[in-house]
Amino acid sequence: MRQDSEHARPTETHRFILGLRDAGKLVRDYTQNIDCLEEKVGLSTDLHKGAGNRSYRGVDCVLHESLRRLRCSKCSGTHSRDECSQETETLAGQGPPCPGYANISDAKTTAKKRTTTIGTLRPDVVPYDELDPRADSISAIARRDLLLRPDVLLILGTSLTTHGVKRLVKDFAKVIHKRAGKVVFVTS
Ligand SMILES: [Zn+2]
């Protein structure tokens, strides 16, 4: 999937969202997509930038998960694929070791200790039965965005079947209806 997504190109919709950002009209783009096309078009997806404020532009696009990143099973740190560059292992279904432990030399650590202390990396995608490790940062950003009382909510290409997405859409729609704004639902 990741190899396919690397060749995928952003769509008119991605460029439309970028246009809103550049015109200063985008509060936030929340997406369930994991193909990272938002990054390709030039929207920032680094959650560490936070919600931002009047003088500082926060993250443009909140990604719940990403095929381009790897997450450590022990420390929950995320790493780019380039940083780990263990394509063969990953494709063979083996998790490469977490680079957070790169300084621990193999000579000093027995194979047994390595397996217990060093986390392995897996794609940064959350299965339905697991908690999203980003949930807290994402809801902090959403709470702030709700306080900004946006006047338009565009819901694009989702079936609204995922619980978290349904919740988010309901919360925003409520705030927007209250101020007589517009909620637009475009199905794919
Ligand atoms: Zn780690």
Side-chain angles (χ1 to χ4, degrees), residues 99-105 108:
Y101 292 87
N103 296 330
I104 302 175
S105 88
K108 281 186 196 159

Side-chain angles (χ1 to χ4, degrees), residues 124-139:
D124 188 21
V125 173
V126 187
Y128 281 115
D129 57 349
E130 282 184 22
L131 287 174
D132 185 347
R134 276 168 298 267
D136 287 346
S137 350
I138 292 174
S139 53

Side-chain angles (χ1 to χ4, degrees), residues 22-85:
D22 291 346
K25 293 185 186 297
L26 179 71
V27 173
R28 206 81 59 193
D29 172 13
Y30 290 87
T31 184
Q32 285 176 282
N33 294 342
I34 56 177
D35 50 24
C36 295
L37 291 177
E38 294 81 6
E39 281 172 15
K40 270 192 191 168
V41 87
L43 293 162
S44 69
T45 60
D46 182 5
L47 264 191
H48 293 109
K49 289 176 110 179
N53 54 40
R54 269 170 211 271
S55 52
Y56 165 72
R57 173 89 205 151
V59 62
D60 295 319
C61 174
V62 173
L63 288 176
H64 285 252
E65 34 195 19
S66 159
L67 278 175
R68 285 176 66 187
R69 291 187 304 240
L70 294 168
R71 176 174 292 275
C72 174
S73 57
K74 288 267 161 70
C75 67
S76 286
T78 54
H79 302 279
S80 76
R81 300 227 177 219
D82 303 337
E83 193 185 338
C84 313
S85 70

Side-chain angles (χ1 to χ4, degrees), residues 7 14 21 64 73 84 95-97 121 126 133 136 143 154 170 187:
H7 303 295
H14 294 98
R21 197 276 314 263
H64 285 252
S73 57
C84 313
L121 303 176
V126 187
D136 287 346
R143 276 197 304 275
L154 299 175
K170 266 190 183 168
T187 51

Side-chain angles (χ1 to χ4, degrees), residues 121-184:
L121 303 176
R122 59 171 228 195
D124 188 21
V125 173
V126 187
Y128 281 115
D129 57 349
E130 282 184 22
L131 287 174
D132 185 347
R134 276 168 298 267
D136 287 346
S137 350
I138 292 174
S139 53
I141 293 176
R143 276 197 304 275
R144 231 199 86 99
D145 290 350
L146 284 165
L147 289 176
L148 292 173
R149 303 180 161 279
D151 49 12
V152 175
L153 172 64
L154 299 175
I155 310 155
L156 308 172
T158 170
S159 53
L160 290 177
T161 44
T162 311
H163 175 75
V165 176
K166 227 192 306 190
R167 180 81 258 157
L168 195 70
V169 166
K170 266 190 183 168
D171 290 348
F172 275 104
K174 205 167 142 189
V175 163
I176 287 159
H177 281 139
K178 229 183 217 170
R179 60 162 297 172
K182 294 271 183 280
V183 175
V184 182

